[in-house]
Amino acid sequence: RQAHPSKYFVDDTLSALKNTGTNVADTRLGGTVTKPKINIFDASKVLGDATAPTVASSRPPADSTGRKRAANVSVTFSEKMDTSTLSSYNVQLYLKDTGTPVSATVTPGADGKSVTLDPSVAKLEKGQLYQVVLWKSNYGIKDLAGNPLAGSGKYQQSSGGQYVYFYFKTGRR
């Protein structure tokens, strides 16, 4: 609280302590319990973080052509994210000019800096343009400090600012 007086809310502090701690397993009789060991220095960095995260890279790259229809889509962020915000509600895939998301499994990376969409169930169409949408509105994608995702470079932000997006095209085969 002393280092960041403007972030004195208990919820903010507790979240920072939980999200930056190193997990430690207690394996005594009665079952294993895993809890984070407090790392006060990393928690303090999170509380002082006011920088919005961005998309650092994607696979396939933004605006690419010829992606295999069964390959996964991966997005890497500029910093560790709140993995609870990396879900199918906030990370979606659309066939261009449609309003319904394509069915895809969304899996946050173990490092907290990435997310993978697996559209293999949907069997993407040949030679079509797809849009990856990363929602940033009220309950959207956020970093550990609670900063919402921002657009940058090829990863543009929608005109209303509700989401960050990019396109790719599948191959014809």
Side-chain angles (χ1 to χ4, degrees):
R1 286 179 63 182
Q2 183 180 9
H4 305 287
S6 64
K7 295 279 189 165
Y8 65 88
F9 297 108
V10 173
D11 289 344
D12 293 337
T13 305
L14 187 58
S15 176
L17 290 168
K18 284 182 178 179
N19 288 328
T20 58
T22 304
N23 283 332
V24 177
D26 179 354
T27 57
R28 290 180 281 185
L29 289 176
T32 300
V33 175
T34 303
K35 294 285 184 181
K37 176 181 170 186
I38 292 174
N39 183 329
I40 196 73
F41 298 108
D42 285 350
S44 181
K45 285 180 196 174
V46 165
L47 288 169
D49 179 9
T51 305
T54 59
V55 176
S57 64
S58 63
R59 208 181 54 216
D63 305 324
S64 65
T65 300
R67 176 197 175 273
K68 294 180 181 175
R69 295 185 311 135
N72 291 341
V73 177
S74 300
V75 178
T76 302
F77 301 99
S78 60
E79 61 183 277
K80 284 189 175 184
M81 306 301 285
D82 177 350
T83 56
S84 71
T85 68
L86 300 176
S87 69
S88 58
Y89 295 109
N90 294 330
V91 181
Q92 297 176 332
L93 180 64
Y94 292 86
L95 179 60
K96 187 174 187 283
D97 298 326
T98 64
T100 305
V102 172
S103 178
T105 303
V106 176
T107 308
D111 62 359
K113 288 185 72 170
S114 62
V115 66
T116 302
L117 288 106
D118 179 359
S120 61
V121 175
K123 297 181 181 172
L124 302 182
E125 296 179 33
K126 297 176 187 174
Q128 293 296 316
L129 191 61
Y130 284 89
Q131 180 183 31
V132 175
V133 173
L134 306 164
W135 291 94
K136 58 174 257 169
S137 54
N138 293 343
Y139 298 102
I141 297 174
K142 293 180 174 45
D143 66 8
L144 293 176
N147 300 310
L149 186 64
S152 68
K154 290 185 177 185
Y155 306 98
Q156 302 170 33
Q157 190 166 270
S158 64
S159 59
Q162 297 97 344
Y163 57 89
V164 172
Y165 66 95
F166 66 94
Y167 292 99
F168 66 86
K169 189 172 185 178
T170 55
R172 296 214 173 263
R173 293 182 183 202

